[in-house]
C-alpha cells in the first residue's frame, strides 16, 4: 500500500465520492481506488518540480474530476485511465507545465518516470497515467 506524501484523498476524488468513502478512512480509498504506481509517480514529480494542484473543490474551487472519475462522470472518455485510478491531471504551481512534460519525455526510464505509460500534450496541465507501455522505453503521447 502506498499513501501519498503530498496529496490528500480530497484532492483526488470528487465530493460525492469523498462523502461515500469518508467513513472507511483514506487508507481504504487509496488502496481501493488508485494504482499505487500513479501515487508514487505523483509524489516523485512533486518532489522535483514543486507543488501540484489536482482537484480544488475542497478549497472552494471548481475542479473535481482531475483524479478519480466515477462511472457516473460525464467528463472524459468512457474508458479513461482516470476511471481506473491510473490517470491524473496535475497543474504545477511553481514550474511551467511544458518544462515538466519535457523532463518526463526526455528521460522515460528514470525512477521518477518509470511507471508513466502516457502523457497528454497540447493542454495547460499535466495529464499522466500508468497504463502499460506499448514499447518499454517510450511514453505514449496523445492530444485532446
Amino acid at each position: 500500500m502506498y499513501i501519498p506524501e503530498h496529496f490528500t484523498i480530497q484532492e483526488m476524488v470528487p465530493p460525492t465520492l469523498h462523502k461515500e468513502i469518508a467513513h472507511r478512512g483514506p487508507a481504504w480509498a487509496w488502496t481501493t481506488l488508485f494504482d499505487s504506481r500513479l501515487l508514487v509517480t505523483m509524489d516523485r514529480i512533486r518532489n522535483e518540480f514543486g507543488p501540484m494542484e489536482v482537484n480544488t473543490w475542497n478549497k472552494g474551487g471548481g475542479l473535481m474530476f482531475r483524479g478519480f472519475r466515477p462511472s457516473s462522470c460525464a467528463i472524459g472518455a468512457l474508458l479513461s485511465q482516470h476511471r481506473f485510478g491510473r490517470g491524473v491531471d496535475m497543474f504545477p504551481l511553481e514550474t511551467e507545465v511544458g518544462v515538466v512534460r519535457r523532463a518526463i519525455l526526455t528521460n522515460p526510464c528514470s525512477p521518477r518516470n518509470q511507471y508513466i505509460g502516457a502523457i497528454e500534450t497540447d493542454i495547460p496541465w499535466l495529464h499522466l497515467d500508468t497504463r502499460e507501455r506499448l514499447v518499454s522505453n517510450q511514453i505514449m503521447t496523445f492530444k485532446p
Side-chain angles (χ1 to χ4, degrees):
M1 172 174 62
Y2 185 83
I3 297 176
E5 178 183 345
H6 299 294
F7 300 91
T8 66
I9 197 66
Q10 292 90 344
E11 291 178 90
M12 296 296 294
V13 299
T16 52
L17 187 54
H18 183 255
K19 289 176 186 174
E20 290 180 26
I21 63 176
H23 69 282
R24 296 179 188 254
W28 175 87
W30 290 124
T31 59
T32 303
L33 299 176
F34 293 98
D35 180 339
S36 61
R37 298 171 305 161
L38 178 69
L39 303 175
V40 167
T41 301
M42 290 172 63
D43 270 349
R44 289 176 179 172
I45 289 171
R46 163 64 171 83
N47 285 338
E48 187 165 340
F49 297 103
M52 304 274 165
E53 191 171 68
V54 183
N55 289 329
T56 58
W57 66 265
N58 59 319
K59 300 184 289 184
L63 300 174
M64 63 182 76
F65 295 113
R66 290 186 158 207
F68 186 82
R69 292 181 186 155
S71 60
S72 61
C73 176
I75 294 173
L78 176 64
L79 298 176
S80 164
Q81 296 298 306
H82 291 266
R83 298 186 194 280
F84 301 100
R86 295 187 300 255
V88 67
D89 297 333
M90 298 190 298
F91 187 80
L93 299 177
E94 295 178 355
T95 306
E96 160 71 37
V97 68
V99 169
V100 180
R101 196 177 288 123
R102 280 189 299 279
I104 292 169
L105 291 171
T106 57
N107 198 0
C109 296
S110 73
R112 179 193 66 217
N113 305 327
Q114 67 184 341
Y115 301 128
I116 300 172
I119 287 184
E120 191 170 4
T121 60
D122 296 341
I123 53 174
W125 59 84
L126 177 67
H127 167 90
L128 61 91
D129 62 60
T130 54
R131 72 181 78 189
E132 292 297 320
R133 291 182 180 184
L134 297 175
V135 179
S136 65
N137 64 345
Q138 293 179 356
I139 296 172
M140 182 180 84
T141 60
F142 63 97
K143 295 182 181 186

